[in-house]
Amino acid sequence: MPSLFDIPINNLYGIGEKKAAAMRKLGIKSIGDLIRFYPRTYEDWSSPVKISEINSNLCCIRAFVCEISPTSAIKGGKQVLKVRVCDGFSFLSIIYFNNPYIHRLIETDKEYLFYGRINNSYDRITMVSPQFMPVNAPNKIIPIYPQNSGISSKNIAKFVKNALTLLPTEIKDPIPINIRKKYNLCNLKFALENIHFPKDISSLNMAKNRLSFEELLLMQLGMGGLKSHKAQSNICIENDYSKEFYSLLPFTPTNAQKRAVDECVKDLKNINKTAMNRLVQGDVGSGKTAVASCICYTTARNGYQCAFMAPTEILAEQHYYSLKKLFSNSVNIALLTGSTKIKEKNQILNALSDGNIDIIIGTHALISDNVEFKNLGLVVTDEQHRFGVAQRAKLLSKGENPHLLVMSATPIPRTLALVVLGDLDISVIDEMPPNRMKTDTFLISSNIRKRALSFIQKEIDKGRQAYIVCPLVEQGESDLISAQNYARNLQAQLSGYTVALLHGKMNGKEKEQVMKDFANGKTQILVSTTVIEVGVDVPNSTVMMIENAERFGLSQLHQLRGRVGRGKHKSYCILVSDIKNKDTKTRLQVMCQTNNGFEIAEQDLALRGPGNFFGAEQHGLTDFKLHNFNVTNYLEDTQTVAKEILSLDNKLTFPEHKALRAEIKRLFGSVSSQWLN
Ligand code: ADP
Ligand code: MG
């Protein structure tokens, strides 16, 4: 029988081309994907509250229908229908607007469950347009799926129900039975059925536990396998040119930078004939670029080519210009991004395959098929969490097992690092360049934004610059401040100052110009979306103001804050948020209390769980799907299990590991072929 992952979604009964397209947008391409498309949250109808005990905005009650009043029209042409219900103790009025069919669906003297929003105005409690179901309905925990304009959560639920009937009675469970027993995990079929349509809360928890465990175990095994089957490599560096590189720098490297460089150089000398596979982790501003540049320089001076990949054009360009200046003519360096002109691009491609370019810096453009190297010796990826392992692998495949250096400024908590970076050796830069001052951080509400702006004005009058970050580009239906409007209004307000706008929808040239003007001090305030989040370096800027700060994860805020405090001036970060929610406030307060990225990362993980840790960005191969679920304890359990399995059966050939092997092949694709061929 073919795998359900091989059956396209439009083969499912009831799904036409339109729905299939909407589903593909949600990442659901096959029936298997649909079954693995877990609910975002659930409506719990299983524990209704008494009417007298209603205390939340959204709730579920169980009550008899006493009376249904006839529809009446109120002003604005709305039709109102009132249903009076009683739970044996108290009465409650339920109101439906413009829904004349309700009285055909609800009968008086019958008991129902109602789930809806409570309105508390005019001293009277009413429930507004609740959903309802008979009290004996079988499923009382209703899944809520991520939806889009083409398909609703309800529709998805219906199709999932269909899809689940296609599962064979006995499904092969990737987690071997002895492990399931040891960690008290339910079987796969039970888990899949109950993650979608839980029988009760405890079944739902069983399902979540089991699926989280599985997901983490697969990640650990996939990464562990990669690590234990490192590729042979004959690329070795004879001479260490790091001292020569240091002499080019306008500053003295810190001890931590030197240590990281030495660790890399040792790998490059390649005594064991295995390629370097190293992560350099260091807080924002710790000077990772210098380390990477030094390694590129050493590799290039030994006659090998280097590919340096950055996640955004801005960053690639910045690295390019600073390295070009540093190296002058001692090594040949070029830039390749999506906006490189055809003619220039062809020249670069030729020079690369002829070996006339020593270091190529670029974006994802570097992994396209037509990029060929003569003798690629080193691949560097900056801000590694922005790239998947597959993209890394693609770039590596352009040489004969070149060395790999990845850099990350998102400090990743140790437990999580084991999962997403399990295949890498790690160097930590735990020291900041000297004379850095702490960036003072404040959390304010929008009603004192004016004061914040006049503070920014003062800084600019001193010759400094400022960033203002807004979450979105264009004004959407929500009230989030859009960068475009914001920049326009700000320019009007601060007419004597120059305000520029930077966002992801601008083309490369426009972005480059805006960034250049800011870097040269031509513009004083840069209003931007998060495109500036990673890496950008303008040491003269001293204020980072972030609007709707609650929309960002802590690690992301820390990244943004890292854009200031990079020079010799005292810097400030202003977080603007009107959210009253206590948890959100606590989260944002963490930013005001510490500047230490590792501490922030630990807090972020604890507060939001691994599923949300990296925000929407890709952070490896597969996203953690079980958001908001505290699986932190499983991080270590699954690591233990993965190690045990690999130590007994390192190519997963035992019969009890057959299903596990198949799952890893599915999730890791070509990346796993290195060890699971
Ligand atoms: P990140 O680690 O966030 O990538 P960068 O490499 O962009 O940090 O470095 C941040 C800033 O610090 C840059 O302006 C860089 O020139 C400067 N810098 C790096 N190392 C040192 C050092 N040892 N002494 C002084 N300044 C340094
Ligand atoms: Mg950087």
Side-chain angles (χ1 to χ4, degrees):
M1 191 188 141
S3 154
L4 291 177
F5 287 101
D6 295 330
I7 307 180
I9 190 67
N10 49 338
N11 284 24
L12 192 68
Y13 179 76
I15 298 188
E17 201 27 60
K18 248 194 176 146
K19 289 233 155 51
M23 285 192 156
R24 274 184 223 114
K25 273 201 196 131
L26 292 168
I28 308 167
K29 298 192 187 74
S30 67
I31 296 182
D33 291 340
L34 178 62
I35 291 176
R36 292 285 188 165
F37 189 74
Y38 307 141
R40 172 172 64 79
T41 179
Y42 302 83
E43 271 174 11
D44 184 5
W45 297 59
S46 69
S47 35
V49 296
K50 287 206 182 106
I51 291 173
S52 59
E53 286 166 7
I54 287 176
N55 64 358
S56 66
N57 182 16
L58 195 65
C59 70
C60 179
I61 59 162
R62 173 179 176 145
F64 284 95
V65 173
C66 311
E67 192 188 343
I68 304 177
S69 0
T71 332
S72 60
I74 55 165
K75 72 172 179 220
K78 270 189 187 166
Q79 301 271 318
V80 183
L81 185 115
K82 253 193 212 158
V83 180
R84 197 156 166 73
V85 301
C86 171
D87 66 359
F89 301 95
S90 345
F91 290 91
L92 179 75
S93 289
I94 293 178
I95 300 177
Y96 288 97
F97 295 104
N98 295 335
N99 201 339
Y101 304 107
I102 288 292
H103 64 271
R104 289 195 209 154
L105 305 169
I106 299 180
E107 289 176 47
T108 30
D109 293 336
K110 277 216 169 141
E111 199 181 14
Y112 296 89
L113 292 166
F114 294 93
Y115 190 105
R117 218 160 269 295
I118 298 296
N119 188 342
N120 219 338
S121 52
Y122 309 113
D123 289 337
R124 280 194 53 187
I125 296 188
T126 49
M127 195 179 229
V128 186
S129 305
Q131 303 187 59
F132 54 90
M133 62 161 82
V135 288
N136 56 0
N139 282 316
K140 300 244 167 56
I141 301 171
I142 309 295
I144 308 293
Y145 295 91
Q147 56 185 14
N148 60 26
S149 57
I151 192 155
S152 69
S153 168
K154 274 213 167 106
N155 265 319
I156 293 174
K158 192 178 83 189
F159 294 127
V160 169
K161 204 158 226 162
N162 274 348
L164 285 173
T165 63
L166 301 178
L167 286 175
T169 12
E170 286 276 317
I171 36 180
K172 290 178 204 124
D173 195 323
I175 308 186
I177 179 90
N178 59 331
I179 294 166
R180 265 185 279 146
K181 279 204 174 125
K182 181 165 175 192
Y183 291 94
N184 193 21
L185 304 167
C186 65
N187 69 44
L188 181 56
K189 183 140 189 190
F190 180 92
L192 290 174
E193 284 167 355
N194 281 279
I195 199 75
H196 291 291
F197 305 105
K199 245 191 5 240
D200 47 40
I201 291 287
S202 90
S203 306
L204 174 60
N205 285 335
M206 288 291 282
K208 281 182 175 172
N209 283 347
R210 142 79 212 214
L211 294 171
S212 312
F213 192 100
E214 176 185 296
E215 199 165 59
L216 291 172
L217 179 62
L218 288 166
M219 290 288 273
Q220 307 263 22
L221 276 172
M223 292 298 189
L226 281 180
K227 188 166 184 164
S228 62
H229 294 84
K230 270 191 195 157
Q232 287 268 312
S233 173
N234 292 320
I235 301 171
C236 39
I237 257 62
E238 305 271 317
N239 301 309
D240 177 0
Y241 286 90
S242 51
K243 301 262 157 23
E244 190 174 299
F245 174 82
Y246 297 153
S247 71
L248 301 173
L249 284 175
F251 48 74
T252 317
T254 62
N255 287 328
Q257 284 170 315
K258 284 196 230 159
R259 189 163 12 92
V261 165
D262 290 346
E263 284 167 355
C264 295
V265 169
K266 198 168 156 217
D267 290 349
L268 293 177
K269 288 196 170 160
N270 196 8
I271 301 164
N272 326 320
K273 298 275 173 218
T274 50
M276 168 165 82
N277 208 16
R278 184 170 290 278
L279 168 76
V280 172
Q281 228 189 61
D283 212 339
V284 199
S286 62
K288 292 179 294 294
T289 316
V291 171
S293 313
C294 178
I295 299 311
C296 286
Y297 185 76
T298 289
T299 307
R301 297 281 275 134
N302 277 277
Y304 290 101
Q305 291 175 295
C306 308
F308 190 146
M309 184 161 70
T312 63
E313 287 191 10
I314 292 182
L315 203 52
E317 282 155 14
Q318 192 175 293
H319 288 330
Y320 170 73
Y321 291 114
S322 58
L323 289 198
K324 199 168 166 62
K325 203 165 91 194
L326 205 59
F327 296 155
S328 51
N329 291 322
S330 52
V331 290
N332 281 329
I333 126 167
L335 174 70
L336 184 69
T337 69
S339 37
T340 308
K341 291 261 159 50
I342 295 276
K343 193 168 153 219
E344 197 190 341
K345 185 172 155 186
N346 288 335
Q347 277 169 0
I348 292 175
L349 293 179
N350 285 335
L352 263 184
S353 57
D354 292 347
N356 291 330
I357 291 174
D358 301 311
I359 301 176
I360 181 88
I361 297 179
T363 54
H364 294 81
L366 294 179
I367 55 181
S368 35
D369 288 331
N370 54 5
V371 178
E372 285 168 22
F373 292 85
K374 183 152 184 245
N375 61 345
L376 180 63
L378 170 72
V379 165
V380 178
T381 62
D382 195 7
E383 308 300 343
Q384 113 85 23
H385 65 288
R386 291 293 186 100
F387 299 104
V389 177
Q391 286 169 319
R392 233 160 67 189
K394 179 110 194 264
L395 189 49
L396 287 169
S397 72
K398 293 182 183 290
E400 283 176 25
N401 295 321
H403 297 286
L404 173 70
L405 177 63
V406 305
M407 295 186 292
S408 176
T410 305
I412 301 170
R414 194 185 59 87
T415 42
L416 199 53
L418 295 175
V419 183
V420 289
L421 307 167
D423 62 329
L424 297 166
D425 296 314
I426 299 179
S427 296
V428 179
I429 306 185
D430 52 5
E431 181 188 353
M432 283 291 186
N435 307 325
R436 284 283 160 80
M437 276 174 287
K438 179 174 160 284
T439 298
D440 286 343
T441 303
F442 306 93
L443 176 60
I444 66 168
S445 53
S446 63
N447 58 6
I448 52 171
R449 186 186 289 121
K450 262 218 161 85
R451 263 171 59 193
L453 288 178
S454 61
F455 175 76
I456 289 178
Q457 257 171 293
K458 276 199 198 112
E459 282 292 303
I460 295 175
D461 292 341
K462 283 194 238 162
R464 305 287 83 78
Q465 289 162 282
Y467 297 98
I468 301 181
V469 173
C470 307
L472 288 180
V473 185
E474 279 148 291
Q475 196 78 52
E477 59 240 70
S478 68
D479 58 357
L480 289 172
I481 298 152
S482 93
Q484 255 158 13
N485 277 350
Y486 197 102
R488 210 174 301 134
N489 294 341
L490 193 67
Q491 184 64 82
Q493 234 172 307
L494 306 178
S495 49
Y497 300 82
T498 47
V499 177
L501 173 66
L502 181 73
H503 60 74
K505 290 189 186 155
M506 295 162 86
N507 71 34
K509 258 232 134 59
E510 291 170 325
K511 275 193 257 181
E512 185 190 333
Q513 196 54 50
V514 171
M515 253 346 272
K516 260 196 201 143
D517 290 347
F518 189 68
N520 300 335
K522 254 197 215 158
T523 17
Q524 293 160 315
I525 302 178
L526 185 62
V527 175
S528 163
T529 59
T530 50
V531 287
I532 54 142
E533 176 196 341
V534 285
V536 172
D537 186 31
V538 181
N540 188 45
S541 44
T542 55
V543 187
M544 165 61 69
M545 179 154 121
I546 302 167
E547 295 281 356
N548 292 100
E550 73 282 350
R551 296 259 304 173
F552 299 94
L554 286 183
S555 294
Q556 215 182 351
L557 289 173
H558 182 63
Q559 278 289 319
L560 288 169
R561 176 169 62 185
R563 299 309 107 218
V564 298
R566 300 173 83 86
K568 50 185 184 292
H569 311 289
K570 174 83 187 162
S571 296
Y572 308 87
C573 174
I574 304 168
L575 307 174
V576 186
S577 176
D578 288 332
I579 296 280
K580 300 273 181 297
N581 180 296
K582 205 171 132 256
D583 292 346
T584 309
K585 280 203 157 157
T586 313
R587 196 162 66 81
L588 294 176
Q589 284 296 346
V590 172
M591 292 297 296
C592 307
Q593 285 146 15
T594 177
N595 267 264
N596 181 316
F598 280 90
E599 247 171 67
I600 288 172
E602 294 287 353
Q603 293 265 6
D604 207 15
L605 178 64
L607 290 169
R608 304 202 307 162
N612 290 326
F613 180 78
F614 293 94
E617 275 91 51
Q618 195 181 15
H619 51 73
L621 280 157
T622 120
D623 286 308
F624 287 96
K625 288 182 178 142
L626 301 168
H627 300 314
N628 310 325
F629 185 60
N630 188 0
V631 291
T632 318
N633 53 338
Y634 281 161
L635 288 170
E636 302 208 16
D637 287 343
T638 49
Q639 206 208 11
T640 313
V641 173
K643 273 200 178 139
E644 271 167 23
I645 291 178
L646 288 175
S647 71
L648 293 171
D649 178 19
N650 80 353
K651 289 202 172 230
L652 304 180
T653 50
F654 292 1
E656 66 267 35
H657 297 151
K658 203 173 155 207
L660 203 50
R661 184 187 161 94
E663 269 302 274
I664 290 179
K665 279 197 152 171
R666 180 175 75 77
L667 290 170
F668 284 69
S670 60
V671 180
S672 64
S673 57
Q674 224 182 77
W675 63 289
L676 288 182
N677 39 26

